[in-house]
Amino acid sequence: VRPAHLCSPCQSAQGFGLEADIGGRIYALGTYLICPEAVGNPQSAVRRMIDNYRRWAADRGVKIVYFVKYDAYRASQDIFNAKKDPARRWSAWEDYVRTLAKIMEEAGVACSDYYVLVRDEPKNAELEMVREAQERLKRVCPAMRTYVSVGHNIEGPVDYVDCLGPTTDLWAPGDRIFGEPATRTRLLELKAKRGAKLLHYRCSTSVAEPLVGYFRAHCWRGERWNVDADMIYQFNIYNPGRRGDWSFKVAPQGELSYKTGDTFHPSVRYMAYREGVTDIRYLAKLREAGGDDPEVRAFIEDAVGRMTAVCEHDAAEPARIRTEMADLILRKQTEARKK
């Protein structure tokens, strides 16, 4: 299964299992947990969170990486009191980077196993700040990796990518950004030349998104763009209910799950997303059965196109495509046995 990033931090082994089942492999660490008090303290909140993730991942037999989110630069200004003294903003940021590096080193997490989000969906006016912050991060800790989420409210996406490209290790653009040929070409060049990773990002907060066209088709869009991982907002927002418990009846931002106490409950959105993940598993099985077979390659190209276009107005299309995949897998396996 292609890795997925479901944005919200995970709070229990049961919730981790639900995320892992649909590809969850990138897990959040809160930016405000990165503070001087956590250095040398294995009982700090961030160390306990890392230990939990590590244990749950081992139990599930999956490899995970971490994501320091959402706005590390802003957290650095608060934690190191730079808001009261703007002249200290860059020294505060560098202190934050050193603190993060030390905490992760003490936790046994290599730089290759986490990303830092300087600013969530930076606007054009913030690009120079993000660029300088990432350059300073690389000077303080060259091996530390950075992450840029690209919102749909930007102008000149090619210039945007060019500005941050030299210091960005992971890109998370949405459909509109990927859909612009010049921008997509530039992102793929960065992937080829610098080894930058690409995520396909969707971030609706509506409970009315179509189950098939939005959730099930999400992984297929990742297939279409040839990304390294899929990203969707979000698994759960942990909204408190009226009686002090976590609300079971309300998912105000279209989350994939509900929560009561320590238990997460899959929503119909989760189930639709999982169907898409299962579709991609069928694709993987088809590639395994067909190898470089021209018929298989042509079928996959056609199926990806149909899933990312037709399913927007025909919710039955995914079931037809999966049936066709199953038939083709069985036929190719039979042909292989006869050789």
Side-chain angles (χ1 to χ4, degrees):
V1 62
R2 189 166 53 244
H5 175 30
L6 307 176
C7 294
S8 52
C10 191
Q11 294 189 342
S12 73
Q14 184 259 345
F16 185 95
L18 286 175
E19 292 196 34
D21 283 348
I22 57 174
R25 301 292 186 271
I26 306 173
Y27 288 89
L29 300 172
T31 50
Y32 282 86
L33 300 181
I34 309 303
C35 57
E37 293 76 14
V39 175
N41 180 7
Q43 296 305 312
S44 65
V46 66
R47 289 288 300 277
R48 293 199 306 272
M49 184 175 284
I50 291 170
D51 289 345
N52 284 337
Y53 283 146
R54 184 176 283 145
R55 184 174 66 257
W56 299 335
D59 290 344
R60 303 286 302 192
V62 296
K63 164 71 174 174
I64 66 172
V65 297
Y66 304 97
F67 161 44
V68 181
K69 65 96 183 182
Y70 278 108
D71 197 325
Y73 176 80
R74 180 181 297 170
S76 74
Q77 305 305 289
D78 288 336
I79 293 168
F80 291 94
N81 298 315
K83 286 189 173 181
K84 297 179 181 178
D85 183 6
R88 292 196 62 253
R89 67 173 185 148
W90 291 122
S91 63
W93 170 242
E94 291 174 1
D95 286 343
Y96 184 90
V97 172
R98 292 186 188 95
T99 301
L100 172 60
K102 186 64 176 175
I103 290 170
M104 298 305 258
E105 179 186 5
E106 291 174 348
V109 179
C111 287
S112 58
D113 288 335
Y114 66 96
Y115 295 91
V116 183
L117 188 68
V118 174
R119 179 79 174 96
D120 188 29
E121 295 187 9
K123 300 177 176 63
N124 290 77
E126 299 170 311
L127 286 184
E128 285 304 315
M129 180 277 287
V130 175
R131 181 191 59 76
E132 183 164 354
Q134 292 192 165
E135 288 178 354
R136 286 174 179 267
L137 177 149
K138 293 291 187 180
R139 288 199 292 268
V140 171
C141 185
M144 192 178 289
R145 300 196 296 178
T146 58
Y147 176 177
V148 170
S149 55
V150 186
H152 287 174
N153 58 342
I154 65 169
E155 299 175 2
V158 172
D159 295 336
Y160 191 103
V161 171
D162 286 345
C163 178
L164 302 180
T167 55
T168 300
D169 300 293
L170 185 149
W171 289 91
D175 279 344
R176 184 178 71 80
I177 308 301
F178 261 127
E180 297 185 7
T183 308
R184 184 168 68 252
T185 297
R186 192 74 92 248
L187 288 168
L188 292 173
E189 287 173 355
L190 288 170
K191 180 177 181 179
K193 293 177 181 178
R194 293 194 60 249
K197 301 293 185 181
L198 298 180
L199 275 70
H200 167 238
Y201 176 35
R202 293 195 118 186
C203 187
S204 173
T205 57
S206 170
V207 296
E209 294 292 356
L211 295 177
V212 173
Y214 186 87
F215 292 98
R216 182 167 181 172
H218 183 74
C219 297
W220 284 88
R221 288 188 173 85
E223 190 73 23
R224 176 186 181 186
W225 304 127
N226 190 29
V227 298
D228 299 289
D230 300 306
M231 177 177 173
I232 195 165
Y233 183 91
Q234 67 180 333
F235 180 70
N236 195 282
I237 199 173
Y238 311 133
N239 235 30
R242 290 189 300 271
R243 299 180 180 177
D245 200 353
W246 300 98
S247 178
F248 177 72
K249 295 183 178 180
V250 179
Q253 295 189 8
E255 300 94 281
L256 297 180
S257 68
Y258 301 101
K259 186 172 187 286
T260 54
D262 293 326
T263 303
F264 293 87
H265 309 269
S267 69
V268 292
R269 295 175 292 280
Y270 175 96
M271 303 304 287
Y273 187 89
R274 190 172 72 173
E275 285 296 301
V277 172
T278 302
D279 291 337
I280 300 305
R281 289 191 168 110
Y282 271 74
L283 271 184
K285 194 68 176 178
L286 178 56
R287 288 189 174 105
E288 179 186 316
D292 294 327
D293 189 308
E295 181 185 8
V296 170
R297 291 202 305 271
F299 174 86
I300 291 174
E301 182 178 353
D302 176 68
V304 170
R306 288 160 60 193
M307 268 300 300
T308 54
V310 178
C311 74
E312 293 284 355
H313 59 266
D314 184 358
E317 184 70 356
R320 289 193 287 267
I321 291 174
R322 188 185 290 182
T323 299
E324 292 169 15
M325 281 196 290
D327 291 342
L328 187 54
I329 289 168
L330 292 173
R331 180 156 60 81
K332 292 302 175 183
Q333 288 176 334
T334 301
E335 290 174 1
R337 285 194 294 268
K338 290 180 178 178
K339 291 181 180 179

